[in-house]
Amino acid sequence: MAQQAYMTETDDNGGSGPERRGDRLRRLIGRLTSGWRGDPRIWRRGLVVAGLALLLALVMLLHSRIPNRFGNLGSLTETFLPWIGLLIPLFLLLALVRKSASALIAVVLPAVVWLNLFGGLLSDKTGSGGDLTVATHNVNADNPDPSGTARDVAASGADVVALEELTASAVPVYEKALAATYKYHSVQGTVGLWSRYPLSAVKPVDIKLGWTRAMRATVATPEGKVAFYVAHLPSVRVKLQAGFTARQRDKSADALGEAIADEPLSRVILLGDLNGTMNDRSLNAVTSQLRSTQGAAGDGFGFSWPASFPMARIDQILVKDVEPLTSWTLPRTGSDHLPIAARVKLPTSDE
């Protein structure tokens, strides 16, 4: 009896592992929520946290008003705008620790603004069917395995593939690796287009660089002609003294936008590394004319760079008079970018 009583007491006091964790969680919640009722200071505490939360809401709400005159601060903010939302749970925790009703209410505002901006990207909008699968990949000039990268991209099942950052020495490797899958291809400068369907009207596109990093081609799909553009806009840098240096990128984006505006075919697909996100107002010359397949039919943000820890979608598939049905990111290759792909519907023949 004594032994049985001892064992019972041990079981009651110690409890199982999950029960102990549950008790600790309840105690933690109790500590965070205790002392709120009847405390008049809950409105006076945490005013700094409340102010920071309101400032965060204003930054997200008015990001397009942040000037680019000082180190392209506006474009830099817009490039990583989704990540600013990580401050919201931090402010929420600080509001709970400080037992501040003012801060708790203030945190609601940036949460609502963030959900309004990016909540649509959290849902899965992918569909099925479609007429054409396209893919694009910045293969990286220093890629140690161009042949393997080419095979990986071809394995996506894409009908049309765009590659950027091609070097003269690597082009024959990509051509050989992709020849069995894609009968037609063209390389212009450091960008190239591979297709299962015939190409015509192929030409470089001048994006004001002095060398070729963009091209245009007509692809004769079974559903009619589609104008394809491949572009690799200049890189941007974040420098301590100069800020977000993107002047050449912005100039090239304007030139690319002019070329697309002058396109005679109504159905247009742009594939490439734009070195900017859809939020970046400096790409408006391009993005105002085209839809993002990821935004329209993707699942999540579809970040593509850097491949080791993707933080921004700077590789884009943009369309005009084409219906995106699904958009996704492909597995990592030997590049510092992730390849991306999309499946689209071509509603009307464009001859």
Side-chain angles (χ1 to χ4, degrees):
M1 288 292 293
Q3 183 180 7
Q4 183 178 359
Y6 174 77
M7 292 175 64
T8 302
E9 182 180 355
T10 302
D11 289 344
D12 289 342
N13 290 338
S16 62
E19 290 176 348
R20 288 197 299 271
R21 287 193 293 271
D23 290 341
R24 286 197 294 268
L25 179 60
R26 284 191 291 272
R27 286 196 297 270
L28 176 60
I29 295 175
R31 283 196 294 268
L32 290 175
T33 58
S34 64
W36 290 71
R37 185 176 301 176
D39 184 356
R41 294 178 299 169
I42 62 174
W43 298 103
R44 297 195 296 270
R45 285 194 298 260
L47 294 181
V48 172
V49 177
L52 291 174
L54 293 176
L55 178 62
L56 176 63
L58 287 174
V59 168
M60 292 190 292
L61 187 63
L62 304 176
H63 63 86
S64 62
R65 303 292 183 90
I66 300 175
N68 263 341
R69 292 191 299 272
F70 308 103
N72 277 310
L73 182 60
S75 288
L76 177 60
T77 302
E78 290 166 337
T79 297
F80 300 103
L81 193 60
W83 293 95
I84 296 178
L86 290 177
L87 291 173
I88 296 172
L90 174 61
F91 290 158
L92 175 61
L93 179 61
L94 291 175
L96 290 172
V97 170
R98 293 285 294 145
K99 294 183 173 60
S100 168
S102 301
L104 276 178
I105 294 173
V107 168
V108 172
L109 185 57
V112 170
V113 174
W114 191 94
L115 288 173
N116 182 62
L117 290 172
F118 304 110
L121 293 174
L122 300 179
S123 61
D124 185 355
K125 301 178 291 296
T126 58
S128 58
D131 304 312
L132 193 70
T133 300
V134 299
T136 182
H137 191 21
N138 179 328
V139 295
N140 187 2
D142 298 321
N143 192 320
D145 183 21
S147 181
T149 296
R151 289 193 299 270
D152 289 342
V153 174
S156 68
D159 301 300
V160 181
V161 170
L163 300 181
E164 303 87 49
E165 207 164 298
L166 296 170
T167 63
S169 60
V171 166
V173 179
Y174 287 106
E175 290 176 330
K176 181 179 179 181
L178 295 172
T181 306
Y182 303 101
K183 184 177 180 180
Y184 308 95
H185 86 279
S186 176
V187 174
Q188 304 288 321
T190 62
V191 298
L193 190 68
W194 277 258
S195 172
R196 299 182 192 271
Y197 308 118
L199 305 179
S200 62
V202 179
K203 63 179 182 180
V205 174
D206 182 11
I207 55 173
K208 311 303 181 184
L209 285 175
W211 68 96
T212 302
R213 283 177 47 151
M215 63 176 289
R216 183 260 182 220
T218 297
V219 177
T221 75
E223 288 71 30
K225 295 179 180 179
V226 181
F228 273 80
Y229 285 79
V230 184
H232 182 195
L233 298 187
S235 299
V236 297
R237 298 287 185 270
V238 180
K239 299 179 180 179
L240 183 61
Q241 294 180 337
F244 192 61
T245 57
R247 183 173 301 174
Q248 186 58 62
R249 191 275 315 264
D250 299 347
K251 181 180 177 181
S252 292
D254 291 342
L256 178 61
E258 292 176 6
I260 293 172
D262 293 336
E263 172 57 48
L265 294 181
S266 63
R267 300 188 303 190
V268 178
I269 297 179
L270 168 62
L271 307 169
D273 174 7
L274 302 189
N275 269 305
T277 68
M278 293 297 291
N279 294 314
D280 191 337
R281 93 287 297 268
S282 295
L283 300 183
N284 279 351
V286 175
T287 57
S288 63
Q289 303 183 65
L290 307 168
R291 295 175 68 194
S292 164
T293 59
Q294 186 67 24
D299 180 11
F301 290 92
F303 294 145
S304 63
W305 177 89
S308 57
F309 188 81
M311 296 185 65
R313 185 179 176 88
I314 63 175
D315 302 275
Q316 306 289 352
I317 300 177
L318 308 180
V319 300
K320 175 185 176 185
D321 287 345
V322 172
E323 185 64 28
L325 295 179
T326 183
S327 185
W328 67 99
T329 302
L330 296 169
R332 185 177 181 181
T333 69
S335 172
D336 58 340
H337 291 242
L338 295 178
I340 60 175
R343 181 80 175 163
V344 301
K345 181 177 179 59
L346 306 174
T348 308
S349 179
D350 192 346
E351 298 297 341

